[in-house]
Amino acid sequence: MEIIESILTQNDCYRAGRKIAVQGLMIHSVGCSQPKAEVFIKQWNKSGVQKCVHAFIEPNGKVYQTLPWDMRGWHAGGNANNTHVGVEMTEPATIKYVNGSAWIDNNPTKTKEHVLATYQVAVELFAYLCKKFNLNPLADGVIISHHEGNIRGIASNHADVEHIWKKFGLTMQQFRNDIKNAMRKEENKPSTGLYRVRKTWEDAKSQIGAYSVLENAKKQADAQNGYKVYDENGNQVYPSVNEKPVDNKPASNTFLVKITADALNIRQGPGTNYSITGVIKDKGVYTIVETNDTWGKLKSGAGWISLKYTEMLDNKSTQTEDKPKTIDLKVSDKVKVKSGAKTYTGGNLASFVYQNTYNVIQINGDRVVIGIGTAVTAAIHKDNLILL
């Protein structure tokens, strides 16, 4: 299972910001022949959508988390929104709905593969969440379907997930039992005593090493920006959760330069073969933290510039600028969002936001509204945008 954070920051549910004390988990099925979570993420990540769940499950083992787990969702159509996390399973492209929850199967083999695969991922995810929130999956009302929620009077009248599971002999009681068994297997798993170096515990593919000696794991994490050390139970042991990540760049490698060109391109890497991510037009002073031949990397993280069009300055006599001066933007400019940037109010952005190019739609001081065409994507602080 791989949990991919794709928070729906533009959805009105997320913007409402209401928290819940998680008392249970509700399993849903999307109710249409759509196997891709990305389709729902793009459709729901905007204002005016009166629904929002905590995650979508694909059969390939990927879980797209769309709300913080303890945020109140809009998934149940009833009081279960106040108590339960809501998770949607995608459905195979091989089925067709014909009347309400009734459907026909155009490829039984492919349909079965998809349903059973998403079921197994759901078992793993729910076991993880039960452990996270100290829930007993066999306790009454803890793990329920949307249909069971309706019977209890805490959810709207939907038939999922039983409407699709029953064809393959799957039941909610089996689901609850399988979750409990998965939790027992995890608890009884032999201790390896290894410390794992990853970006996050959930992102197992990012692992670059496993060590029996903690100090060796720490050294490996220090050598790679953004990596942490986790014990066998997934607890972060280095750096501590209250400790800021270590900057591994030696201070002696940094120096100041003054831009001499009227317009100097910022590139993704040290060379003209890398794409342009921005332009410096202020002839200002910038901090270089790394060099490669005649190229220097900006301390702001915006990218690399050619040092042929700069003048090296004395660090002691000139004040350091940690980031480029505020860019001069106008409506209709093309921009990209800097990696790690948040919304103007501090909310998280979906991962795909950092990959797209946007138009500047509105400017109000340092608050810039961006989007594709006239469709608003987010409001961002202007210092977190790269002018293209």
Side-chain angles (χ1 to χ4, degrees):
M1 178 183 66
E2 178 185 5
I3 298 178
I4 302 169
E5 188 173 287
S6 303
I7 305 300
L8 302 177
T9 56
Q10 302 308 306
N11 189 287
D12 294 336
C13 177
Y14 175 84
R15 290 181 168 182
R18 293 180 60 183
K19 297 288 186 176
I20 63 171
V22 177
Q23 300 174 35
L25 313 173
M26 179 176 284
I27 187 72
H28 300 264
S29 192
V30 293
C32 61
S33 53
Q34 179 51 256
K36 293 293 184 181
E38 183 180 12
V39 172
F40 297 99
I41 293 171
K42 288 182 177 180
Q43 291 177 348
W44 293 13
N45 194 29
K46 58 186 177 183
S47 181
V49 179
Q50 298 300 309
K51 50 192 172 183
C52 198
V53 297
H54 294 82
F56 290 91
I57 293 175
E58 289 185 348
N60 55 10
K62 292 183 178 180
V63 175
Y64 291 83
Q65 182 184 355
T66 47
L67 279 180
W69 300 121
D70 63 346
M71 179 171 280
R72 184 181 186 273
W74 293 347
H75 61 91
N79 288 334
N81 286 336
N82 300 319
T83 54
H84 284 62
V85 170
V87 176
E88 294 269 10
M89 295 187 301
T90 60
E91 295 185 14
T94 51
I95 69 173
K96 180 180 179 180
Y97 282 88
V98 291
N99 183 20
S101 61
W103 53 277
I104 58 176
D105 194 346
N106 295 317
N107 189 328
T109 300
K110 293 293 184 182
T111 300
K112 183 176 181 180
E113 288 177 358
H114 184 108
V115 173
L116 295 184
T118 52
Y119 175 89
Q120 291 301 326
V121 181
V123 168
E124 187 174 354
L125 174 63
F126 276 48
Y128 164 78
L129 292 173
C130 281
K131 181 178 179 182
K132 181 179 181 67
F133 292 105
N134 194 28
L135 302 174
N136 177 6
L138 301 182
D140 181 57
V142 172
I143 306 296
I144 58 176
S145 67
H146 195 149
H147 175 64
E148 289 179 327
N150 174 249
I151 293 173
R152 289 172 174 266
I154 58 174
S156 56
N157 186 15
H158 280 225
D160 57 321
V161 294
E162 289 89 330
H163 79 293
I164 197 166
W165 277 7
K166 61 185 179 183
K167 181 174 180 178
F168 306 99
L170 301 172
T171 67
M172 281 302 299
Q173 190 54 50
Q174 177 187 349
F175 184 52
R176 288 183 275 265
N177 290 336
D178 287 345
I179 294 168
K180 187 63 176 180
N181 289 334
M183 295 172 68
R184 287 177 180 144
K185 287 180 181 179
E186 188 66 26
E187 293 168 358
N188 296 329
K189 187 182 296 183
S191 173
T192 60
L194 295 178
Y195 296 98
R196 292 170 171 79
V197 182
R198 302 177 179 179
K199 287 185 177 180
T200 66
W201 177 252
E202 291 80 11
D203 187 4
K205 292 182 179 179
S206 69
Q207 183 168 306
I208 56 175
Y211 301 85
S212 58
V213 179
L214 177 58
E215 290 306 313
N216 292 338
K218 289 181 178 180
K219 289 178 182 178
Q220 178 71 306
D222 285 341
Q224 303 288 334
N225 282 325
Y227 281 80
K228 306 174 184 66
V229 180
Y230 298 89
D231 65 17
E232 60 191 279
N233 297 316
N235 300 310
Q236 182 180 323
V237 295
Y238 180 79
S240 69
V241 292
N242 295 321
E243 180 181 345
K244 292 184 178 179
V246 177
D247 183 358
N248 302 311
K249 299 286 190 305
S252 58
N253 286 352
T254 65
F255 57 92
L256 303 177
V257 295
K258 180 175 175 58
I259 308 300
T260 58
D262 291 331
L264 182 58
N265 290 332
I266 304 173
R267 295 185 179 270
Q268 283 188 335
T272 55
N273 56 313
Y274 290 90
S275 60
I276 297 173
T277 61
V279 182
I280 297 175
K281 298 181 179 179
D282 62 1
K283 289 191 174 183
V285 176
Y286 297 90
T287 304
I288 303 299
V289 295
E290 184 180 342
T291 59
N292 187 325
D293 195 13
T294 60
W295 292 80
K297 185 176 183 180
L298 294 168
K299 184 178 180 181
S300 67
W304 296 71
I305 60 173
S306 173
L307 298 178
K308 293 179 181 179
Y309 304 98
T310 67
E311 175 187 348
M312 189 171 180
L313 300 178
D314 181 359
N315 286 9
K316 295 181 180 179
S317 60
T318 308
Q319 183 178 1
T320 300
E321 288 193 4
D322 290 339
K323 59 183 178 181
K325 291 181 178 178
T326 300
I327 57 178
D328 184 17
L329 289 175
K330 62 181 182 297
V331 173
S332 79
D333 276 344
K334 299 289 187 182
V335 295
K336 295 191 76 171
V337 180
K338 290 182 181 179
S339 178
K342 295 181 179 295
T343 67
Y344 189 80
T345 56
N348 292 325
L349 293 165
S351 58
F352 62 81
V353 171
Y354 306 106
Q355 303 166 11
N356 296 335
T357 298
Y358 299 97
N359 300 318
V360 173
I361 297 175
Q362 184 184 84
I363 302 173
N364 185 3
D366 57 8
R367 182 180 183 273
V368 181
V369 177
I370 62 172
I372 297 177
T374 58
V376 173
T377 298
I380 308 288
H381 194 289
K382 66 166 61 175
D383 289 345
N384 286 323
L385 296 174
I386 300 170
L387 177 64
L388 302 180

